[in-house]
Amino acid sequence: MENGKLSKDPYNLIITGVGGQGNVLASRILGNMMVRQGCHVTIGETFGATQRGGSVMSNLRISEISAWSPQIPKGQADMIVALEPTEAIRLLGKYGHPEIKVLTNTRAIHSVGVIAGELKYPSLNEIKEPLQELTGEVWLVDATEEAMKLGNPILSNTIMLGALAGTGVIPMQRDHFKEVMSETMGQDRLEINLKAYDLGAELIKH
């Protein structure tokens, strides 16, 4: 690798959320960043019953040595990045173990059942407690609130990528993020995304 080493090979990382949150885009940006880092990256995606509002999960298997099959085996995820907090809890049952780490956005997105009053959405404390009990380390970031301060809630997935870089769990390079975003988006959106990425990294420090 050009800079830094993976703490484990392959490093198994899940980005999860619900439809419309930019989950797939975030996973592809991260995958392209890690390829520039000299890694082999395979991505497997699963979608819920609906495109918008349903669960969306991307499996990223990152290796310095070789390409791996795209699906992470049960109980073998190293990191979950959740764009919606209850999605993190949902996945811990299948992919979790005592050393797994979780980074989650704190902003809830209510399902149709919750909106209709048929289901109750847990409080932030009710989400936080099991995350702390079932993981080796957890970071909670109000990425959506910060994205709205920047002018657009869609920037929350970029803030989450910056926060992931801030955790230091994998060797992400800001220059690689800039390169990937320059190729993916127009220059008019580059600066605001760089600002969101840097903000995410700063949020982890505080």
Side-chain angles (χ1 to χ4, degrees), residues 7-134:
S7 59
K8 176 178 169 290
D9 203 310
Y11 194 89
N12 296 324
L13 186 147
I14 294 172
I15 298 181
T16 185
V18 299
Q21 286 194 290
N23 180 99
V24 173
L25 177 61
S27 65
R28 290 178 180 172
I29 291 170
L30 177 58
N32 282 323
M33 288 175 67
M34 297 311 297
V35 167
R36 281 168 169 76
Q37 189 75 13
C39 291
H40 303 270
V41 180
T42 51
I43 301 176
E45 293 163 346
T46 61
F47 297 85
T50 58
Q51 288 296 307
R52 181 167 290 278
S55 298
V56 181
M57 177 180 70
S58 298
N59 285 204
L60 288 91
R61 308 197 75 190
I62 305 164
S63 172
E64 299 170 46
I65 302 167
S66 63
W68 289 72
S69 63
Q71 296 301 318
I72 296 172
K74 291 180 180 178
Q76 294 187 29
D78 299 299
M79 178 85 186
I80 294 175
V81 178
L83 305 183
E84 205 285 333
T86 57
E87 290 297 309
I89 295 174
R90 186 178 66 81
L91 291 184
L92 281 175
K94 182 174 181 180
Y95 295 97
H97 53 83
E99 288 77 38
I100 193 171
K101 298 178 180 180
V102 171
L103 167 67
T104 182
N105 186 4
T106 57
R107 179 59 62 94
I109 294 182
H110 293 167
S111 67
V112 173
V114 173
I115 293 170
E118 298 168 352
L119 300 171
K120 177 181 177 293
Y121 194 93
S123 68
L124 184 57
N125 279 337
E126 289 172 328
I127 293 171
K128 191 175 180 179
E129 288 176 6
L131 288 179
Q132 291 175 328
E133 291 173 2
L134 299 172

